[in-house]
């Protein structure tokens, strides 16, 4: 098999060593003679996995005391509802920043529980920039934002000063750079972009935000229940949590989130430099808001798209098709993608420009 360069937006590329560990664990977990998939989640083996996954999250992101880390099911999309369910009472207002498809879905869910004030939106520009200079109302229960807009290829390079707790969907850039957790009330991320496989979602919650809404919360939607149950209130998604643990071990081995940031900056810079220099391509987003995770670009002559797709396929570049709401191309260059894959893409772009420029 030739090497495939995997630019898929999600589920997406994972460290090879995490997948190898996962395949071994399916057949024989740590020499127990049992598969990880057929042992009790209450046994010491799996409890060890969960403990290590949670402590790696805390260590890698420097989670301060007063915060809890949980793994739950349901994807980031369930967090769109769980956040307002736990933090926003009827009649109260939450502030939301509208930066794209995922932000919109979060807003839609919050509207089921209370009032939503959209503080700013880049919708009129097809979300090609991150709004700035907006005011966050001091009487809002929280301010919600999306750190990286997976579909539109923008990323918040700064977070605003907020008079109220900041809740952030970091699904597509968690562990790609350092974050100051103490500046956030709640962070959540689905695993399948930068942390593992589909099936589990990680949340970091400031404990003192909980227990304040008047409504009754079903157990499975209650952060407190998951915290008290140490992410084992019910049967957790054992294999996704294991893959997250192995992926985070890899992040740590490579030097943690600072090393990831350096690696990701270099990859992004190499690719954006080519997009800006190559006469056939152009980026779709405001330069200062460009994502280091999802690089969106289109062709100056859209009629060449099919031919470029074929050239990319022939060079074993996979997953480059842009989301239908932007068109063109999207190279997702998450933590696990190697620099050599960027170089392979850049080489195809240059070669294509020589032939068609
Ligand atoms: C992929 C993604 C989601 C949705 O995640 P699911 O696990 O499919 O629910 C939400 N937010 C962002 C930023 C994403 O990239």
């Amino acid at each position: 098999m030739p090497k495939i360069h995997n630019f898929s937006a999600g589920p997406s590329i994972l460290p090879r060593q995490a997948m190898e560990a996962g395949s071994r664990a399916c057949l024989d977990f740590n020499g127990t003679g049992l598969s990880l998939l057929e042992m009790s989640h209450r046994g010491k083996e799996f409890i060890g996995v969960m403990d290590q996954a949670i402590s790696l999250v805390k260590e890698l992101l420097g989670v301060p005391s007063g915060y809890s880390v949980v793994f739950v099911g349901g994807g980031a999309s369930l967090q769109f509802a769980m956040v307002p369910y736990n933090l926003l009472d009827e009649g109260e207002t939450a502030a939301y920043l509208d930066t794209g498809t995922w932000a919109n879905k979060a807003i839609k869910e919050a509207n089921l529980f209370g009032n939503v004030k959209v503080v700013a939106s880049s919708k009129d520009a097809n979300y090609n920039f991150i709004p700035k200079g907006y005011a966050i109302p001091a009487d809002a229960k929280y301010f919600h934002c999306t750190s990286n807009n997976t579909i539109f290829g923008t990323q918040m390079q700064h977070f605003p000063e907020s008079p109220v707790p900041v809740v952030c969907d970091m699904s597509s850039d968690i562990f790609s750079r350092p974050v100051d957790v103490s500046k956030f009330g709640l962070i959540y991320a689905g695993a399948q972009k930068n942390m593992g496989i589909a099936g589990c979602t990680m949340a970091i919650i400031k404990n003192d935000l909980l227990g304040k809404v008047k409504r009754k919360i079903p157990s499975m939607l209650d952060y407190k229940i998951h915290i008290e149950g140490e992410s084992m209130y019910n049967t957790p998604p054992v294999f996704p949590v294991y893959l997250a643990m192995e992926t985070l071990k890899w992040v740590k081995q490579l030097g943690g989130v600072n090393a990831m940031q350096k690696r990701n900056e270099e990859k992004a810079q190499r690719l954006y430099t080519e997009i800006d220099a190559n006469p056939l391509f152009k980026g779709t987003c405001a330069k200062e808001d460009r994502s280091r995770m999802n690089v969106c670009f289109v062709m100056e002559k859209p009629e060449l798209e099919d031919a470029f797709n074929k050239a990319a396929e022939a060079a074993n570049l996979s997953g480059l098709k842009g989301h239908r709401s932007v068109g063109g191309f999207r190279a997702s260059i998450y933590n696990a993608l190697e620099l050599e894959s960027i170089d392979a893409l850049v080489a195809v772009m240059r070669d294509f420009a020589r032939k068609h420029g």
Side-chain angles (χ1 to χ4, degrees), residues 75-77 80 102 146 148 150 169 171-172 192-193:
S77 299
F80 297 160
W102 300 116
T146 313
N148 182 70
T150 325
D169 175 0
S171 294
S172 52
Q192 71 272 23
K193 312 280 170 41

Side-chain angles (χ1 to χ4, degrees), residues 30-76:
N30 280 356
T32 55
L34 286 176
S35 166
L36 174 68
L37 308 183
E38 50 182 17
M39 60 171 62
S40 168
H41 61 291
R42 307 266 176 216
K44 68 174 189 317
E45 286 84 7
F46 185 73
I47 289 178
V49 170
M50 184 62 93
D51 284 351
Q52 197 181 351
I54 290 174
S55 56
L56 279 164
V57 171
K58 289 183 173 167
E59 181 186 341
L60 289 167
L61 293 180
V63 176
S65 65
Y67 286 77
S68 299
V69 173
V70 292
F71 281 94
V72 295

Side-chain angles (χ1 to χ4, degrees), residues 169-183:
D169 175 0
M170 294 195 187
S171 294
S172 52
D173 65 357
I174 191 89
F175 300 111
S176 72
R177 58 179 178 180
V179 274
D180 182 353
V181 175
S182 71
K183 293 245 164 37

Side-chain angles (χ1 to χ4, degrees), residues 203-261:
I204 305 171
I205 308 141
K206 194 168 188 209
N207 298 323
D208 65 12
L209 296 182
L210 299 177
K212 296 197 173 146
V213 289
K214 289 191 216 75
R215 75 169 60 86
K216 295 191 171 105
I217 306 176
S219 304
M220 281 297 286
L221 299 177
D222 189 341
Y223 287 118
K224 271 186 128 170
I225 297 268
H226 289 286
I227 294 169
E228 281 158 17
E230 296 177 341
S231 300
M232 302 245 206
Y233 171 73
N234 73 324
T235 315
V238 290
F239 196 59
V241 171
Y242 179 77
L243 255 289
M245 180 200 81
E246 286 294 336
T247 303
L248 297 182
K249 271 164 72 176
W250 173 85
V251 171
K252 185 177 165 180
Q253 274 167 24
L254 263 67
V257 289
N258 288 306
M260 287 297 134
Q261 179 178 42

Side-chain angles (χ1 to χ4, degrees), residues 88-101:
L88 183 66
D89 254 326
E90 226 170 294
E92 293 177 336
T93 298
Y96 277 70
L97 181 63
D98 176 21
T99 53
T101 309

